[in-house]
Amino acid sequence: MSGPNIKGNPLKIFVLLLVLSYFVGEFLIPKYPLIDFINLFGFLGLIISIGIFISGFKLFKSYKEDPLPTSDTKRIIKTGIFAYTRNPIYLAFILFHLFMFLVFENVLYFISSVGLSIWLHNWIVPAEEAYLRKNFSNEYDSYMNNVNRWIFF
């Protein structure tokens, strides 16, 4: 049994978009000033998104699972942050870009968060879900019915 057939590495795409957004947004695109409260909210959001990432990553490791999306899996993790969202690490990636926009007022971070969310939602997550449904059928169907993909939907 091998892992899901995923094209692209979400972590590498996340980092690439982060770097591109910084350089293009800082040097080529004008800033869009926000009020200080929004900047503070963004900073707190960055901390929360890092916490979500660490929580999901540590759970993978505690269950001796590989967090790479193309890896084989032996079980469905349903505890901790996975009891609230089926994709906490991807959620953290999207939120991190969104909150970077709020902190640094660089519109490319916002555009990256939208693009990243569309790519993950329409191509990466469905491939992972198909793999998990094939290998864990009823258990994963039950999990899908009880836990949202992105917390709210």
Side-chain angles (χ1 to χ4, degrees):
M1 185 163 62
S2 64
N5 185 19
I6 303 250
K7 304 289 188 247
N9 182 320
L11 178 61
K12 288 180 182 177
I13 300 296
F14 164 76
V15 172
L16 177 68
L17 286 173
L18 204 58
V19 170
L20 286 174
S21 295
Y22 171 76
F23 283 109
V24 173
E26 289 297 314
F27 301 112
L28 300 176
I29 296 177
K31 298 265 187 181
Y32 295 92
L34 302 170
I35 59 175
D36 291 337
F37 173 76
I38 301 285
N39 296 127
L40 179 60
F41 178 73
F43 182 72
L44 293 173
L46 285 175
I47 293 169
I48 290 168
S49 66
I50 291 168
I52 292 170
F53 174 82
I54 291 170
S55 175
F57 189 82
K58 286 180 95 175
L59 276 169
F60 265 107
K61 291 303 181 182
S62 72
Y63 281 88
K64 295 181 176 49
E65 291 286 337
D66 188 347
L68 287 175
T70 55
S71 65
D72 189 23
T73 188
K74 296 171 221 53
R75 67 179 54 94
I76 297 171
I77 301 171
K78 298 182 273 190
T79 61
I81 191 73
F82 287 93
Y84 303 99
T85 174
R86 296 193 312 260
N87 302 287
I89 293 175
Y90 296 157
L91 179 64
F93 289 170
I94 294 164
L95 291 176
F96 192 84
H97 276 267
L98 181 63
F99 292 127
M100 287 290 284
F101 162 66
L102 296 179
V103 171
F104 296 106
E105 303 165 346
N106 175 340
V107 75
L108 237 34
Y109 289 124
F110 176 76
I111 293 168
S112 292
S113 72
V114 171
L116 191 59
S117 65
I118 290 169
W119 178 61
L120 290 169
H121 184 77
N122 292 305
W123 288 279
I124 301 301
V125 172
E128 289 182 354
E129 288 178 345
Y131 166 81
L132 292 169
R133 289 180 96 185
K134 179 179 143 200
N135 292 297
F136 299 100
S137 60
N138 292 338
E139 182 184 5
Y140 192 70
D141 285 340
S142 174
Y143 179 60
M144 285 178 69
N145 290 330
N146 293 313
V147 178
N148 291 326
R149 184 184 274 182
W150 303 112
I151 292 184
F152 300 115
F153 64 95

